[in-house]
Amino acid sequence: MTRSNIKAFTLLEVLISLAIMGMVMATVMQTVQQTRMAVDAIHNISETESVGPRILEQLRTDIENLAVSDVVDYKLLKGEDDTLIGAGADKLDLIVNRRSYIPALANDGNRLLHPYLNEVGYRLKQNPLRSDFLELYRREDTFVDDEPFRDGSYSLVYDRIVSLDIRYAKRPDFDLVWEDYWDTEVEEALPFALEIYLEIEVQPRRSSESLNIIEANRARLSFTDIIHIPEEKRWRFRHHYQPDRISDDPEEAQDEQLENEIADDNSASGF
């Protein structure tokens, strides 16, 4: 075999192949980085749009399910103004008429039930791992007793709370007057509305590339919700109204009687 019959790549061909491989690898790496950036951005935006509203929705659901017809006295709702580490850390306790999250043992001792009348409360404490944040806990007690604003089981709602402030409006007005404290046992009435201000910090996943997406990496967010308590529910509580279930047509009789009595009460009070 002569030298002229040996076939091989020339140096130029090898260099061109390496250059093409380098461009392919660069393209692949760029695609991977963009994918990482997109995943982080989607995660951050999802956290931004869901954490705060979820907490407010939990509070709203409890407040909207106040057990106004299931208490014999005025111990139904108590809100206290409080601060921790210089931030708002208000307390809220109430009795709600909704299915419990925590099961309770039935009287026969053989079954677990989810009662529909429960004590609920919200408390904050300093985060033991991050001293500049608060932890929000939801209290639930499936047995309503003479001390409905104490005891129960606590579950963590969120561990990066910056501030929680709850205010109460006594009556409807063009310019609502807000108060920092409310006790239905003292007022013998429910507030007209509650204003909840919540400030949290989300835990963003930040790749170095996703830092350029400002909206996806906002850490501290604030939310506000105003919850109005219907006049019918406030009237029921003020007058300890118990639905009359002994009637030929209970639902129709209840509604008609209640509407008439509310109308008479409103006209007498000027609302």
Side-chain angles (χ1 to χ4, degrees):
M1 181 182 295
T2 62
R3 178 179 294 271
S4 59
N5 293 330
I6 298 176
K7 295 182 180 180
F9 292 107
T10 64
L11 178 60
L12 180 59
E13 291 173 333
V14 171
L15 292 175
I16 292 174
S17 300
L18 291 175
I20 293 173
M21 290 179 61
M23 288 187 291
V24 171
M25 290 300 297
T27 302
V28 170
M29 291 303 298
Q30 184 178 5
T31 302
V32 171
Q33 290 174 350
Q34 290 177 346
T35 302
R36 285 181 53 206
M37 181 176 65
V39 169
D40 288 345
I42 292 171
H43 173 271
N44 297 343
I45 293 173
S46 175
E47 287 292 298
T48 297
E49 294 180 348
S50 63
V51 173
R54 281 203 309 265
I55 297 173
L56 290 181
E57 182 60 29
Q58 176 71 75
L59 282 158
R60 172 179 281 273
T61 302
D62 284 334
I63 293 169
E64 289 180 344
N65 286 278
L66 283 167
V68 295
S69 298
D70 296 287
V71 292
V72 295
D73 53 22
Y74 288 101
K75 281 187 178 181
L76 179 62
L77 181 148
K78 185 176 182 179
E80 299 178 79
D81 184 41
D82 199 3
T83 58
L84 285 174
I85 59 174
D90 290 358
K91 302 174 183 177
L92 180 65
D93 293 286
L94 59 162
I95 300 175
V96 302
N97 193 353
R98 60 173 301 197
R99 188 176 187 269
S100 70
Y101 289 107
I102 302 172
L105 192 64
N107 293 332
D108 58 15
N110 298 322
R111 296 172 299 155
L112 288 177
L113 304 176
H114 290 270
Y116 278 83
L117 186 64
N118 306 284
E119 301 173 6
V120 170
Y122 290 88
R123 293 287 188 277
L124 292 107
K125 74 171 189 176
Q126 190 171 5
N127 189 321
L129 301 178
R130 294 286 305 273
S131 59
D132 51 338
F133 293 115
L134 301 171
E135 293 180 333
L136 176 62
Y137 287 85
R138 182 181 185 271
R139 176 183 67 88
E140 187 174 86
D141 191 347
T142 55
F143 299 99
V144 178
D145 51 29
D146 294 335
E147 296 293 337
F149 305 148
R150 297 177 53 187
D151 303 326
S153 301
Y154 287 82
S155 55
L156 179 64
V157 178
Y158 196 63
D159 62 349
R160 296 171 72 88
I161 301 292
V162 178
S163 177
L164 176 64
D165 291 292
I166 305 176
R167 302 192 299 170
Y168 311 86
K170 188 171 186 176
R171 58 177 57 90
D173 202 343
F174 178 76
D175 187 11
L176 293 177
V177 178
W178 296 102
E179 302 177 14
D180 293 325
Y181 177 89
W182 193 273
D183 188 347
T184 54
E185 189 176 19
V186 175
E187 301 287 343
E188 296 187 355
L190 287 168
F192 167 71
L194 294 85
E195 180 190 58
I196 302 175
Y197 173 81
L198 174 68
E199 189 174 0
I200 65 172
E201 181 163 312
V202 297
Q203 297 177 318
R205 289 166 47 183
R206 299 186 179 184
S207 61
S208 58
E209 298 84 3
S210 69
L211 291 175
N212 296 323
I213 306 179
I214 298 176
E215 288 299 319
N217 290 286
R218 292 173 58 204
R220 188 159 293 190
L221 305 165
S222 60
F223 305 87
T224 302
D225 191 14
I226 296 179
I227 304 170
H228 294 91
I229 299 179
E231 173 59 25
E232 176 186 347
K233 183 169 290 188
R234 296 168 59 220
W235 188 94
R236 284 178 183 270
F237 179 73
R238 284 198 308 271
H239 297 277
H240 289 303
Y241 180 82
Q242 298 293 333
D244 182 11
R245 301 185 183 279
I246 303 176
S247 171
D248 293 334
D249 192 348
E251 293 185 1
E252 184 177 349
Q254 282 177 217
D255 294 341
E256 183 177 354
Q257 178 186 1
L258 182 59
E259 288 176 2
N260 293 335
E261 292 178 349
I262 290 177
D264 294 340
D265 186 65
N266 287 344
S267 60
S269 61
F271 290 106

